[in-house]
Amino acid sequence: MGHATGDARTVGDEAPRVRVVVALDPDRFDEAAGAARRAGMIIESEQRGIGTAVGTVPEGALAALSAADGVEEVERERGYRLPDPESPVQ
């Protein structure tokens, strides 16, 4: 899988994917996770105890993911970069 700087990822000629953290209905976690998958999310990890999942989704599917049944919130992962160790700004 190719990986671009920041939070966008691409696979072959597919649309860029973005990393997201989603809050899922904890009372219907499995159904909500299924709805997130059907909206295009690839779930990389699940945190059932706190009702969240982390994964990637095509950038163009963010609205569909937000509207999926049982998905309570979608947040794009925030990226950061440390300055080069040789940089004068530390």
Side-chain angles (χ1 to χ4, degrees):
M1 171 156 60
H3 185 274
T5 302
D7 62 351
R9 296 173 183 230
T10 59
V11 178
D13 293 329
E14 293 181 18
R17 298 185 69 86
V18 293
R19 287 188 56 80
V20 293
V21 178
V22 295
L24 303 172
D25 182 341
D27 296 326
R28 301 182 311 121
F29 190 91
D30 290 330
E31 294 86 358
R37 286 184 179 98
R38 287 188 296 280
M41 183 175 179
I42 296 173
I43 295 177
E44 297 171 358
S45 67
E46 297 178 346
Q47 299 76 40
R48 290 175 179 272
I50 58 173
T52 63
V54 177
T56 62
V57 67
E59 197 161 20
L62 284 168
L65 179 60
S66 294
D69 187 39
V71 173
E72 296 178 347
E73 186 173 347
V74 176
E75 183 174 329
R76 287 178 72 141
E77 183 179 70
R78 296 183 185 131
Y80 63 92
R81 293 179 67 159
L82 296 174
D84 184 285
E86 304 301 317
S87 170
V89 178
Q90 291 293 317

